[in-house]
Amino acid sequence: ALSLISILLGHELGHYFMSRRLGVATTLPYFIPFPISPFGTMGAMIRMKDMPPSKRAMLLIGAAGPISGLVLAIPILIIGLALSEVAPLPSSGYSLEGNSLLYLATKFVMFGRVLPADGMDVFLHPMAFAGWAGLLVTSLNLIPAGQLDGGHVMYALLGHKARYLNWVIMGILL
């Protein structure tokens, strides 16, 4: 739990400190509880009290969160994988986490082979699960649509034209 909360807090503090550095008034992070999810939370958020003074500021504020979260998620994942073990998969009653390219590469570096394969996989330590969840949340948050960080970055790059991309992305996701 501490690992996952650290990644979420780091992400939001990235936004917070960049906002403060650029003179944009913002709140400290709020955590959004959601006890029935596998993560125990729906994440965290900050609330900007002012508009960013420029598109560049919006780009920097939007990108600071995912970068900060990733800087924490990768070492947490590596430590968690070091605490995990590779073992045969049971015949039934299990679920597999998804393999992003970064996660797959990290498992390959840590264990010297692509997993899952040949009936073997990594049985994740809770800290590795938090690192995996940090990668998942970061990648989802980078989708260039709406109020996600990727949406803010696209708006900073494209201006009002980003709303057309927003509809395209929503259609693809549906």
Side-chain angles (χ1 to χ4, degrees):
L2 184 60
S3 299
L4 184 59
I5 294 298
S6 297
I7 294 166
L8 294 173
L9 180 62
H11 176 109
E12 294 305 325
L13 287 177
H15 292 307
Y16 175 80
F17 287 122
M18 185 58 72
S19 295
R20 300 292 293 189
R21 181 171 181 247
L22 297 172
V24 178
T26 187
T27 64
L28 286 168
Y30 295 99
F31 286 92
I32 306 165
F34 190 54
I36 60 173
S37 82
F39 307 116
T41 180
M42 281 183 56
M45 62 173 269
I46 62 167
R47 200 171 142 260
M48 293 193 317
K49 297 177 181 178
D50 297 331
M51 288 296 294
S54 65
K55 288 183 179 182
R56 181 179 181 277
M58 181 177 279
L59 175 73
L60 292 173
I61 293 167
I67 291 168
S68 301
L70 200 58
V71 164
L72 290 169
I74 291 172
I76 287 172
L77 175 64
I78 291 170
I79 293 166
L81 286 175
L83 297 170
S84 302
E85 62 182 59
V86 176
L89 292 168
S91 59
S92 65
Y94 65 90
S95 61
L96 295 173
E97 73 281 5
N99 273 340
S100 66
L101 294 176
L102 180 57
Y103 181 60
L104 186 67
T106 306
K107 288 196 308 183
F108 181 78
V109 168
M110 297 292 296
F111 300 108
R113 59 187 166 160
V114 174
L115 292 167
D118 302 323
M120 304 286 283
D121 198 8
V122 180
F123 283 71
L124 294 180
H125 183 275
M127 196 168 180
F129 181 73
W132 173 83
L135 295 181
L136 174 67
V137 168
T138 298
S139 64
L140 290 175
N141 200 13
L142 288 173
I143 294 171
Q147 291 299 309
L148 299 172
D149 292 335
H152 291 123
V153 169
M154 279 298 112
Y155 183 80
L157 294 173
L158 301 176
H160 290 292
K161 294 177 187 173
R163 71 178 150 209
Y164 301 115
L165 178 63
N166 188 41
W167 287 108
V168 170
I169 295 298
M170 293 304 226
I172 291 169
L173 290 174
L174 284 173

